[in-house]
Amino acid sequence: MRQLFSAILITGLALTSLPKIAQGQGLPGITLFSGPDKTNILNYFLESGRSGEWDRYKLRLPADKLNLAIAEVSITYPDYYKGTIDPDRVEIRIKDKPIPLEEVIWDKENHIIQIYPQEPIPAGTKVEIVMSNVKNPTFGGVFNFNANIRTPGDVPMLRYVGTWILSID
């Protein structure tokens, strides 16, 4: 019995002392007392998630939230987010394949990223927005990125889809 206990103790110590592989952050995590309604929280993945580092954001829009075709995806973010976004490295992926974009506009002053696909994205399509070459803010925090869409031929009014609650440590 004593040998079994010693073997378990040594194995436990060995496993906890091994360096852990660094992983990116994803999903919304836990939101305690604030933020959007639980049904409006969207999934995401950050390759780094560390403050002051270069990163790639993968922001996901589920098919069940997109019951209308999409002519524009607009992402608003808080004024205290001080990261840098490269509009030339933003893409929309459908089934892991990028689709052609007409234009991507990063309006720093108004805290908005506007993405215009060349062709409207059909309703009910699972969409992933990939922003590469992003410089995370020097000081981390929690940042609500809001997803809005405009449909083809629609009045120029954006419809709220949900919120990605990005946590940068």
Side-chain angles (χ1 to χ4, degrees), residues 1 5-6 8 11 15 44-45 55 71 74 86-87 100 104 112 115-116 122-123 128 140 149 153 161 163:
M1 184 70 168
F5 180 72
S6 297
I8 291 172
T11 304
L15 289 176
Y44 70 93
F45 178 77
D55 211 341
S74 175
D86 183 351
V104 176
I112 188 168
I115 309 165
Y116 299 94
E128 183 176 65
I149 62 167
V161 176
T163 300

Side-chain angles (χ1 to χ4, degrees), residues 67-73 116 120 148-161:
N67 55 1
L68 299 167
I70 302 170
E72 174 190 351
V73 176
Y116 299 94
N148 302 284
I149 62 167
R150 186 177 55 79
T151 59
D154 200 2
V155 291
M157 198 161 144
L158 295 169
R159 300 171 194 261
Y160 174 74
V161 176

Side-chain angles (χ1 to χ4, degrees), residues 10 19 27-28 31-32 38 42 48 58 61 66 68 73 78 83 102 124-125 129 136 138:
I10 291 171
L27 303 175
T31 305
L32 293 177
K38 184 178 177 181
L42 302 171
S48 165
K58 293 182 179 182
L61 294 171
L66 304 173
L68 299 167
V73 176
E102 185 176 309
T125 303
I129 298 147
N136 286 333
T138 304

Side-chain angles (χ1 to χ4, degrees), residues 28 31 34-42 65 144 160-163 165:
T31 305
S34 65
D37 182 89
K38 184 178 177 181
T39 59
N40 291 325
I41 296 175
L42 302 171
K65 288 270 192 188
N144 286 3
Y160 174 74
V161 176
T163 300
I165 303 174

Side-chain angles (χ1 to χ4, degrees), residues 99-152:
I99 63 168
L101 300 179
E102 185 176 309
E103 185 176 25
V104 176
I105 301 169
W106 177 36
D107 184 349
K108 256 178 158 174
E109 290 75 33
N110 294 308
H111 317 287
I112 188 168
I113 304 156
Q114 297 166 294
I115 309 165
Y116 299 94
Q118 281 184 2
E119 299 290 325
I121 299 168
T125 303
K126 183 178 158 184
V127 172
E128 183 176 65
I129 298 147
V130 179
M131 297 192 302
S132 301
N133 204 31
V134 175
K135 179 75 168 187
N136 286 333
T138 304
F139 300 102
V142 177
F143 307 96
N144 286 3
F145 278 48
N146 297 305
N148 302 284
I149 62 167
R150 186 177 55 79
T151 59

